[in-house]
Amino acid sequence: MNRELEKFIRVYLSLEQAYDTSGYLRPTLHAFKDEYVRAVKNGLESVLRSRDLSIEEYERLTDIEFENSDSLYDYLNGLYEYLFLGGEGQPVPPN
Protein backbone atom coordinates (compact mmCIF):
# COMPACT_ATOMS: atom_id res chain seq x y z
CA MET A 1 0.00 0.00 0.00
CA ASN A 2 1.40 3.35 -0.97
CA ARG A 3 1.55 6.38 1.32
CA GLU A 4 -1.26 8.24 -0.46
CA LEU A 5 -3.71 5.36 -0.16
CA GLU A 6 -2.82 4.86 3.49
CA LYS A 7 -3.47 8.54 4.21
CA PHE A 8 -6.73 8.49 2.23
CA ILE A 9 -7.96 5.45 4.15
CA ARG A 10 -6.93 6.88 7.52
CA VAL A 11 -8.59 10.28 6.91
CA TYR A 12 -11.63 9.57 4.72
CA LEU A 13 -12.56 5.98 5.58
CA SER A 14 -12.10 6.16 9.35
CA LEU A 15 -14.88 5.20 11.73
CA GLU A 16 -16.05 8.82 11.93
CA GLN A 17 -16.24 9.26 8.14
CA ALA A 18 -16.90 5.89 6.47
CA TYR A 19 -20.60 5.70 7.31
CA ASP A 20 -21.36 9.09 5.74
CA THR A 21 -22.56 7.98 2.32
CA SER A 22 -24.08 11.34 1.41
CA GLY A 23 -21.97 11.51 -1.74
CA TYR A 24 -19.06 13.72 -0.72
CA LEU A 25 -16.27 11.14 -0.96
CA ARG A 26 -15.86 10.90 -4.75
CA PRO A 27 -15.91 14.68 -5.38
CA THR A 28 -13.59 15.23 -2.42
CA LEU A 29 -11.02 12.79 -3.79
CA HIS A 30 -11.23 14.15 -7.31
CA ALA A 31 -10.78 17.72 -6.06
CA PHE A 32 -7.16 16.87 -5.20
CA LYS A 33 -4.32 17.17 -7.69
CA ASP A 34 -4.33 14.54 -10.43
CA GLU A 35 -1.08 13.03 -9.09
CA TYR A 36 -2.68 12.32 -5.73
CA VAL A 37 -5.83 10.85 -7.30
CA ARG A 38 -3.69 8.61 -9.53
CA ALA A 39 -1.62 7.51 -6.55
CA VAL A 40 -4.75 6.56 -4.57
CA LYS A 41 -6.14 4.72 -7.60
CA ASN A 42 -2.86 2.88 -8.25
CA GLY A 43 -2.51 2.03 -4.56
CA LEU A 44 -6.03 0.65 -4.38
CA GLU A 45 -5.55 -1.36 -7.58
CA SER A 46 -2.34 -2.80 -6.15
CA VAL A 47 -4.00 -3.75 -2.87
CA LEU A 48 -6.92 -5.36 -4.69
CA ARG A 49 -4.53 -7.39 -6.85
CA SER A 50 -2.16 -8.48 -4.10
CA ARG A 51 -4.66 -8.66 -1.23
CA ASP A 52 -1.82 -7.70 1.08
CA LEU A 53 -3.90 -5.41 3.31
CA SER A 54 -4.98 -7.43 6.34
CA ILE A 55 -8.19 -6.88 8.26
CA GLU A 56 -6.04 -6.07 11.29
CA GLU A 57 -4.11 -3.39 9.42
CA TYR A 58 -7.34 -1.90 8.06
CA GLU A 59 -8.77 -1.83 11.58
CA ARG A 60 -5.60 -0.11 12.83
CA LEU A 61 -6.04 2.59 10.17
CA THR A 62 -9.80 3.10 10.55
CA ASP A 63 -11.10 1.47 13.77
CA ILE A 64 -13.52 -0.49 11.58
CA GLU A 65 -13.64 -4.25 12.01
CA PHE A 66 -14.35 -6.69 9.19
CA GLU A 67 -15.39 -10.26 9.83
CA ASN A 68 -12.93 -11.68 7.31
CA SER A 69 -10.70 -10.65 4.44
CA ASP A 70 -13.36 -11.51 1.84
CA SER A 71 -15.74 -8.94 3.34
CA LEU A 72 -12.94 -6.36 3.45
CA TYR A 73 -12.07 -6.93 -0.20
CA ASP A 74 -15.74 -6.86 -1.24
CA TYR A 75 -15.92 -3.45 0.42
CA LEU A 76 -12.68 -2.24 -1.19
CA ASN A 77 -13.84 -3.45 -4.62
CA GLY A 78 -17.08 -1.54 -4.16
CA LEU A 79 -15.13 1.50 -3.09
CA TYR A 80 -12.96 1.28 -6.21
CA GLU A 81 -16.04 1.03 -8.42
CA TYR A 82 -17.60 4.02 -6.68
CA LEU A 83 -14.50 6.22 -6.75
CA PHE A 84 -13.09 5.41 -10.19
CA LEU A 85 -15.70 3.62 -12.31
CA GLY A 86 -18.74 5.79 -11.65
CA GLY A 87 -20.44 3.29 -9.35
CA GLU A 88 -23.88 4.32 -8.13
CA GLY A 89 -23.36 4.55 -4.42
CA GLN A 90 -20.60 4.57 -1.86
CA PRO A 91 -20.36 1.20 -0.12
CA VAL A 92 -20.94 1.03 3.61
CA PRO A 93 -18.59 -0.89 5.87
CA PRO A 94 -20.04 -3.40 8.37
CA ASN A 95 -21.71 -2.14 11.54
Side-chain angles (χ1 to χ4, degrees):
M1 174 172 30
N2 63 28
R3 186 173 35 122
E4 292 84 0
L5 178 59
E6 183 175 341
K7 182 178 179 181
F8 182 78
I9 289 172
R10 182 177 285 131
V11 172
Y12 294 103
L13 300 177
S14 67
L15 184 60
E16 298 81 22
Q17 304 293 324
Y19 294 96
D20 177 0
T21 59
S22 61
Y24 83 93
L25 187 60
R26 183 171 36 211
T28 297
L29 173 61
H30 289 278
F32 286 99
K33 291 183 178 184
D34 288 341
E35 297 84 28
Y36 180 78
V37 175
R38 274 194 305 274
V40 170
K41 183 180 185 207
N42 291 339
L44 191 51
E45 287 172 345
S46 176
V47 164
L48 290 170
R49 262 192 320 273
S50 66
R51 293 181 63 107
D52 64 351
L53 178 61
S54 69
I55 56 176
E56 294 83 11
E57 185 176 7
Y58 194 85
E59 181 181 354
R60 180 184 60 79
L61 292 171
T62 65
D63 290 325
I64 297 173
E65 296 179 33
F66 282 84
E67 187 175 309
N68 55 48
S69 61
D70 287 339
S71 63
L72 171 60
Y73 282 93
D74 286 345
Y75 172 73
L76 293 176
N77 273 308
L79 192 64
Y80 182 85
E81 288 178 15
Y82 169 72
L83 291 173
F84 301 110
L85 301 177
E88 287 293 317
Q90 180 181 334
V92 180
N95 290 328

